[in-house]
Amino acid sequence: MVKKLPFLLTIFALALWVIPASAFVSGPFTGTGTFDSLPVSATATFITSTDTVEVQVYNNIANPTAVIQCLSDLGFVLSTGETTGSISSFSAQERDIASGGSYTTAAATTTNWVLNNAVDFGAIGAGLKLNDLGSGEPENTIIGQDDNNGSGSYSAANTSIAGNGPHNPLWFGDAANPVTFILDVPGVTDATTVPFVQFSFGTVAGNNVNVPLPPGALLMGSGLLGLVLVRWRRV
């Protein structure tokens, strides 16, 4: 049975700044909320340069309870209008979480993530979406840290995470160790910014967490508060 719950949240988008080597940083952007009393929160940063978008993304929730708290897709719109690209490379750690919450870690060598092109974000326009929600129960959704900052276990995890074959291995990402995607996006320049970000959590496809940022609102040296429309779906 699919559950839905709409409500409003706020986010804080930090200042944009220029970094060396002709690249531009948009973010970090954070989407945060709760559903069924479970917190969710993820952060993404975008670094644009000639024909390239680097995406650094991580989960802020330590020792989660259920897979609904794992990040499953990340949509975004580019200020220069590009809607076509591909994943060039990625860097991530896999965590295979056993029954009881103990886990093993290895470098990810394959991925279920794809880059969806020409994704319609309604009034915001079209963009791109990094998406882990293919057919069946997805592996590689992005989980946060364990219960002891990398030296413990996922002691609070229920069977949707711990010992769950269809969902393991998950990808691990926190602020110190983000999951990184390098995207080939022809037409992007070091002046391209990201005016809209959308986070989704769980295992059922849908626009679960929308983070709309008004076009032109991200100004050099300034921050903003924005409203977030949230719609959750899960089995």
Side-chain angles (χ1 to χ4, degrees), residues 200-215:
S200 297
F201 300 83
T203 60
V204 176
N207 295 337
N208 302 327
V209 181
N210 296 321
V211 184
L213 305 175

Side-chain angles (χ1 to χ4, degrees), residues 39-67:
V40 294
S41 180
T43 296
T45 299
F46 302 82
I47 303 172
T48 52
S49 56
T50 302
D51 296 332
T52 302
V53 179
E54 177 177 335
V55 184
Q56 300 176 0
V57 60
Y58 57 89
N59 195 320
N60 296 304
I61 303 301
N63 197 22
T65 299
V67 75

Side-chain angles (χ1 to χ4, degrees), residues 92-97 103-108 146 150 154 170 172:
Q93 295 180 16
E94 291 182 347
R95 287 190 171 176
D96 201 335
I97 303 172
Y103 62 87
T104 57
T105 299
D146 61 30
Y154 289 92
L170 297 99
F172 160 68

Side-chain angles (χ1 to χ4, degrees), residues 126-139:
L128 298 161
K129 180 183 286 187
L130 282 163
N131 185 10
D132 187 44
L133 296 179
S135 59
E137 296 285 342
E139 297 178 349

Side-chain angles (χ1 to χ4, degrees), residues 83-163:
T83 61
T84 303
S86 60
I87 298 175
S88 173
S89 62
F90 58 89
S91 176
Q93 295 180 16
E94 291 182 347
R95 287 190 171 176
D96 201 335
I97 303 172
S99 179
S102 62
Y103 62 87
T104 57
T105 299
T109 58
T110 61
T111 181
N112 288 329
W113 288 79
V114 298
L115 185 65
N116 298 145
N117 288 192
V119 177
D120 183 7
F121 293 107
I124 300 297
L128 298 161
K129 180 183 286 187
L130 282 163
N131 185 10
D132 187 44
L133 296 179
S135 59
E137 296 285 342
E139 297 178 349
N140 305 153
T141 56
I142 299 174
I143 197 169
Q145 191 57 272
D146 61 30
D147 60 9
N148 194 30
N149 197 34
S151 60
S153 67
Y154 289 92
S155 58
N158 64 23
T159 55
S160 70
I161 296 175

